[in-house]
Amino acid sequence: MKTYSATPADIDKKWIVIDAEGVVLGRLASIIAMRLRGKHKPSFTPSQDMGDNVIVINADKVQVTGNKREKPNYWHTGYPGGIKSRTTGQILEGEHPERVVMQAVKRMLPSNRLARRQMTNLRVYAGTEHPHEAQSPEVLDVKSMNKKNTRV
């Protein structure tokens, strides 16, 4: 029995839309990362970009549990004394709330060239409108996925 390895000609990419309203950020990011890598497909090949194109809407209404809303996010400007910080809550209420979802997904992917290429297949929008209607994306209901997978 030979091991199957997909080639770029075998790859079939779909477009999916995910509504992030009321969904916990970590659960949403893990589902998106799995879809971007293509691990949900039976023909998954780790060295190929097998994933789908993912559109996330309502990124500003994503849920952050616990005290993570007050957790500071640090970055450095490159200048002496240039350490900066903002809390996750400030980012979600600021100009670019979609960056919280983008960063969460990026951190769930491996740190390599393939993951950087797969991140280009992710589009995140703060509101309900997106300019990708021409691709006729399928709707993925993440809320019902989480309810099925949780134990009582």
Side-chain angles (χ1 to χ4, degrees):
M1 183 171 204
K2 292 191 175 192
T3 303
Y4 174 77
S5 292
T7 60
D10 300 333
I11 297 172
D12 180 35
K13 288 182 169 277
K14 294 182 183 176
W15 284 78
I16 60 170
V17 172
I18 297 176
D19 188 5
E21 184 175 0
V23 181
V24 178
L25 177 63
R27 292 173 191 257
L28 175 70
S30 65
I31 291 169
I32 294 170
M34 182 186 67
R35 291 281 171 164
L36 284 176
R37 289 199 69 200
K39 293 189 87 172
H40 63 287
K41 296 181 180 180
S43 61
F44 172 65
T45 304
S47 62
Q48 296 293 325
D49 185 8
M50 305 274 307
D52 296 333
N53 293 293
V54 180
I55 304 164
V56 181
I57 57 173
N58 290 326
D60 54 344
K61 297 176 184 167
V62 73
Q63 294 295 314
V64 182
T65 59
N67 294 329
K68 290 188 240 39
R69 204 171 255 289
E70 285 81 37
K71 178 186 169 285
N73 296 313
Y74 296 103
W75 72 95
H76 199 280
T77 62
Y79 290 98
I83 190 88
K84 304 275 184 178
S85 70
R86 259 191 217 126
T87 64
T88 304
Q90 288 173 333
I91 297 171
L92 281 172
E93 294 158 6
E95 276 186 41
H96 303 286
E98 60 272 0
R99 290 182 183 168
V100 173
V101 176
M102 294 278 287
Q103 193 66 34
V105 173
K106 181 181 177 184
R107 290 175 177 167
M108 290 202 180
L109 292 174
S111 302
N112 56 25
R113 284 180 287 179
L114 181 60
R116 286 191 293 273
R117 195 165 72 223
Q118 289 167 343
M119 279 297 289
T120 63
N121 296 329
L122 175 64
R123 282 107 176 148
V124 184
Y125 299 100
T128 57
E129 300 297 318
H130 64 84
H132 305 287
E133 288 299 326
Q135 283 76 23
S136 61
E138 301 173 10
V139 176
L140 181 68
D141 190 16
V142 178
K143 292 177 186 176
S144 66
M145 289 175 67
N146 284 333
K147 289 178 184 174
K148 282 191 259 183
N149 296 335
T150 55
R151 292 188 218 182
V152 177

